[in-house]
Amino acid sequence: MSDPHSDHTEVDPITGYDTTGHDWNGIRELNTPFPKIVIWALILTFVYSVIAWVLLPSWPVGRTYVPGLLGLNQGEMAVEDFRAMDAKRDEWLARFGAEDFASLQSDDALMARAMPAAERLFQDNCAACHGSDGAGGPGFPALNDNYWFWGGDPETIAETLQFGINAGNDDTRWAQMPAFDWMERSERFAVADYVAALPGGQADETAAGAMIFADNCSSCHGDGGIGGMMNGAPSLTDASVIYGQDRATILQTLRHGRQGVMPAWGTRLTEAEINLLALYVSELSRNAAEEGK
Amino acid sequence: MTAAATLSRSERQIGFGLAFALALLGFIMAAAARHGVMAVHGAMALVLGLYLVFRIGGAFYEPEPSPDRANQYYDAPTRFGIWMTLIWAIIGMGVGVWVAALLYWPEATPAVPWTSFGRLRPVHTTGVIFGFGGNALIATSLYVLQRTSRTRLADSISPWFILIGFNLFCAWAVTGYVMGSTQSKEYAEAEWYADLWLVVVWLVYFTLYIRTLARRHEPHIYVANWYYMAFILVVAMLHIVNNLALPVSFGAAKSFTIWAGVQDAMIQWWYGHNAVAFFLTAGFLGMLYYFLPVRSGRPIWSYRLSIVSFWGIVFFYIWVGSHHLHYTALPYWVQTLGMTFSVMLLVPSWASAGNAIATLNGAWHKVRDDATLRFMFVAAVFYGLSTFEGSFLAIRPVNSLSHYTDWTVGHVHSGTLGWVAMIIFGAIYTLVPQISGCKEMAWPRAIEWHFWLAVGGTLIYVVALWNAGITQGLMWRAYDENGALSYSFVESVQAMAPYYLLRTIGGAMFLSGAIICTLNCRATFRSTPPLHEASDRPLNPQPAE
Ligand code: HEM
């Protein structure tokens, strides 16, 4: 038997081909003819490439490039796609930029269409701080309850969103819990005990702490800490907390002060989106009220 | 027999001098930096240099190796390289499993900076690509080069310089990351002085390769050497161009790349993809072209195909880096070229995989019975699968679904676990008995265990992440009928939980296999061989040095 592709007569019994005659430490190579299918595959992929080069922007020529018969421009295509999507959304979203909250809220069909979108907007922009259900966490206030610093009606929330809190712009809401590190330690302990007892309604109004509170704190937190002064200082009598109303956390608040930052969204979201979110957040607390929170 | 005992007295002198120079270099680095990452790295080099000074000094007056060593292959460096391969496998894959677990249990991250995901991830990639893959390439290339040239390495110092120098580079790189030092270029995170050091190591490597080839006693250069040389040469080019940077000062680790904007991105991915091509593919094809025919006892199926695929791979790969930058600020025309060359690249890739599988024709009974050969067979299959997937993912519209998702990570690991790691294990199980003078590995059954753990782990990993990636891609692009996104981002993260858990399990299986392999190699290296078996062809006799 001999290999039809060479003159050699030493043939590999399994494939029927001769070897090339090379031998490296026992490795030999068969003289298999070049497989036709590889050539066909190369031609096929090359034809695909040529078609792509003709249709799409491809080879560079001097300072420019072959633009392609389809005349595609990825920048324009992206912008067009965004515009098309925006236009589709604007069918309903535009109304949130133009109408007042009462009329928006009364349109059930509109709200049913908008609230799922608002939920995703909330998840993508707000949940990282306020929690995916709006329940907040240490340092970040709960939005799904009925306790507010600034107010829970859609108009007020929209303004909070627009300019933020302590967000470093001219119109931002500003709120600061000053540090009381100048106070005697014993006084701080006394007032902390008083404040810690406020939410339970067990606070002793005759204790030294109550006096210190009235002198130093009630100007911002209201008499007896009931809040409602619309200056960003929370009520200290209710169940909701930002940082915590246990003694240790209060002492930390008193020693170092607090100034939480809520970013301004006016530069990132459209007015319609902000109004949509404001309605969504006020909805969250309304649901909470219905559940008796 | 210690490594120093394989060196002649004059070589020990040179080695001593080099070790001293390394210690001095380390001292200068540490003194110039005084504090920070570079000082720590200087101290590492100083300690390593001093250790080598004492090692070589202590063995200085030991008897010299027999003069007829010129007629034997020099395998001591390969043996050391295999050890380093295995050590890095455990470090790199161990960290891989750990970061995989962190993605499932992010809250388990300890509150110390150096254990953060961002720092450990490059420890994983550098550890496995350069530590595990690089050492395996260097160790096997020296082994293959000598056998296919029927000559001893051109000298006995360079291989040690290369291996020790390369491992110092890897150690500098990963310790730098945990200390927060990085160039922020994927697979090229190591800072400027480590990069310069690698250039020196690489030049010595290339020179040794050429010098040894020049002394060969075979008329032709075997195709495996072509692949290894392409690996060495092109990696040098990529490494130098991508790492061009200006250090902030010569006494600090921080540097800034000289490339800017989209050019920087393009150069990075020209480097990044060709790291896949010439580090993780060409070099390992060299490995495949030697160990597969040796283990199966079959001739390479087609000589012509092996040559044509070599040039095809070298030519097409260089163009395709831009497929990593589809739909970015990179001009469309560059993307089109990257896409079309990626598609044409499939042909030489499949030709190589096909040539490997066809080589097994007539040896299928061995594939069935011999786990070592099965490792190589599976490697060739995964090589074919992942190159097909790669060409597919490079098509722009497909990429718009897959990009930035875990599909990419799944694709990477079908290549690195299924192809790179499998061919390394196949090569290790073939050459470790050989250089230990044994007939086979100490625990042949353990190879079987390792094989199934590796295949099972790879399949679990890859299938889980295919699902993960496609799910992510579809969730991100879904809009509802009102034109709003159907899913928030965090929902797409939550959807990943089961897949990340599966990936951790698959990875842990793969890691267990690697540990078994390491123990098996240790037992084989330590066993006293019944007879020193020379299954190699004898070297062409050389006049004694
Ligand atoms: C024990 C098995 C392994 C496990 C559990 C594992 C796990 C991981 C994880 C969790 C990531 C990060 C993915 C992310 O950022 O989302 C990763 C990335 C990567 N791994 Fe592995 N890995 C393993 C083995 C390997 C091996 C053996 C190689 C190479 C030889 C490798 C090469 C890579 C590369 C190149 C990346 C970066 C992928 C990208 O940026 O897209 N891995 N691996």
Side-chain angles (χ1 to χ4, degrees), chain A residues 12 14-15 19-20 22-35 38 41-42 45-46 48-49 52-53 56-60 65 72-74 77 85 88-89 92 113 117 120 123-124, chain B residues 147-148 218 220 222 290 293-294 298-305 308 319 327-328 330 332-333 335-337 339-341 343-344 347 362 396 479-489 536-537:
Chain A
D12 176 54
I14 291 162
T15 53
T19 66
T20 53
H22 308 155
D23 185 332
W24 296 272
N25 203 33
I27 301 181
R28 287 163 307 135
E29 298 162 319
L30 290 176
N31 203 9
T32 318
F34 197 76
V38 176
L42 261 180
T45 52
F46 185 69
Y48 163 84
S49 300
W53 295 337
L56 305 173
S58 58
W59 289 92
Y65 56 87
L72 299 183
N73 174 318
Q74 60 165 355
M77 284 155 72
M85 213 37 108
K88 190 166 173 199
R89 252 194 314 269
W92 54 272
R113 207 170 171 189
R120 276 155 233 150
Q123 297 298 342
D124 283 337
Chain B
R147 267 113 190 129
T148 54
E218 295 287 357
H220 297 274
Y222 182 52
Y290 181 83
V294 161
R298 293 288 306 152
I300 288 292
W301 182 66
S302 169
Y303 165 67
R304 293 184 178 81
L305 200 53
V308 172
W319 293 79
Y327 301 97
T328 65
L330 187 76
Y332 198 161
W333 63 265
Q335 301 175 24
T336 309
L337 293 184
M339 168 178 92
T340 49
F341 276 86
V343 171
M344 291 189 279
V347 180
R396 248 172 131 257
Y479 283 91
D480 65 14
E481 67 283 1
N482 295 320
L485 286 171
S486 298
Y487 301 96
S488 61
F489 187 78
D536 282 317
R537 298 276 172 94

Side-chain angles (χ1 to χ4, degrees), chain B residues 93 96-97 99-100 103 117 121 124-125 128-129 186-187 406 408-409 412-413 416-417 420 461 503 507 510:
Chain B
M93 293 182 202
V97 173
V99 295
L103 286 172
F117 180 85
R121 188 189 195 272
H124 163 61
T125 52
V128 285
I129 299 178
E186 197 167 14
Y187 319 134
D406 277 310
T408 307
V409 182
V412 165
H413 287 88
T416 54
L417 299 179
V420 171
Y461 190 129
R503 183 244 302 265
F510 203 89

Side-chain angles (χ1 to χ4, degrees), chain B residues 258-470:
Chain B
I258 67 160
W259 307 109
V262 76
Q263 278 88 354
D264 182 26
M266 185 62 248
I267 295 216
Q268 160 59 27
W269 283 108
W270 170 76
Y271 165 89
H273 196 83
N274 285 300
V276 176
F278 289 89
F279 211 102
L280 295 180
T281 302
F284 290 102
L285 280 171
M287 208 184 271
L288 176 91
Y289 268 112
Y290 181 83
F291 290 99
L292 183 86
V294 161
R295 189 74 190 189
S296 64
R298 293 288 306 152
I300 288 292
W301 182 66
S302 169
Y303 165 67
R304 293 184 178 81
L305 200 53
S306 65
I307 300 295
V308 172
S309 346
F310 173 78
W311 289 109
I313 285 177
V314 170
F315 175 69
F316 286 125
Y317 251 122
I318 283 290
W319 293 79
V320 303
S322 56
H323 69 217
H324 288 261
L325 296 166
H326 280 333
Y327 301 97
T328 65
L330 187 76
Y332 198 161
W333 63 265
V334 193
Q335 301 175 24
T336 309
L337 293 184
M339 168 178 92
T340 49
F341 276 86
S342 304
V343 171
M344 291 189 279
L345 177 60
L346 179 61
V347 180
S349 301
W350 267 28
S352 302
N355 207 2
I357 292 171
T359 297
L360 292 173
N361 241 339
W364 291 112
H365 59 287
K366 292 192 191 167
V367 175
R368 192 190 56 213
D369 298 335
D370 176 13
T372 303
L373 191 56
R374 227 178 302 133
F375 265 113
M376 301 190 213
F377 166 65
V378 170
V381 171
F382 268 102
Y383 176 61
L385 274 179
S386 48
T387 48
F388 175 76
E389 192 184 18
S391 298
F392 182 62
L393 293 177
I395 299 173
R396 248 172 131 257
V398 181
N399 194 266
S400 78
L401 177 69
S402 75
H403 203 183
Y404 309 118
T405 72
D406 277 310
W407 191 350
T408 307
V409 182
H411 163 65
V412 165
H413 287 88
S414 123
T416 54
L417 299 179
W419 152 238
V420 171
M422 298 277 185
I423 191 70
I424 292 178
F425 292 132
I428 285 182
Y429 285 132
T430 309
L431 75 74
V432 163
Q434 177 77 34
I435 60 180
S436 323
C438 302
K439 251 200 155 53
E440 53 177 4
M441 295 294 293
W443 311 328
R445 296 285 307 156
I447 308 180
E448 200 67 47
W449 274 93
H450 180 188
F451 175 79
W452 290 110
L453 280 171
V455 171
T458 306
L459 285 176
I460 294 178
Y461 190 129
V462 172
V463 173
L465 287 209
W466 277 336
N467 279 300
I470 294 173

Side-chain angles (χ1 to χ4, degrees), chain B residues 114-131:
Chain B
W114 66 268
T115 58
S116 66
F117 180 85
R119 293 192 188 182
L120 290 183
R121 188 189 195 272
V123 172
H124 163 61
T125 52
T126 302
V128 285
I129 299 178
F130 293 100

Side-chain angles (χ1 to χ4, degrees), chain A residues 183-251:
Chain A
M183 223 181 225
E184 290 294 326
R185 260 166 69 91
S186 56
E187 288 178 323
R188 263 188 270 138
F189 281 24
V191 76
D193 285 335
Y194 171 75
V195 172
L198 280 175
Q202 311 281 309
D204 178 359
E205 294 298 338
T206 60
M211 303 295 293
I212 302 170
F213 190 90
D215 290 347
N216 294 287
C217 321
S218 51
S219 56
C220 290
H221 286 286
D223 288 335
I226 54 166
M229 312 279 287
M230 296 312 283
N231 57 1
S235 150
L236 299 175
T237 55
D238 60 32
S240 91
V241 292
I242 320 170
Y243 305 98
Q245 226 160 300
D246 56 291
R247 192 162 175 276
T249 314
I250 297 172
L251 283 173

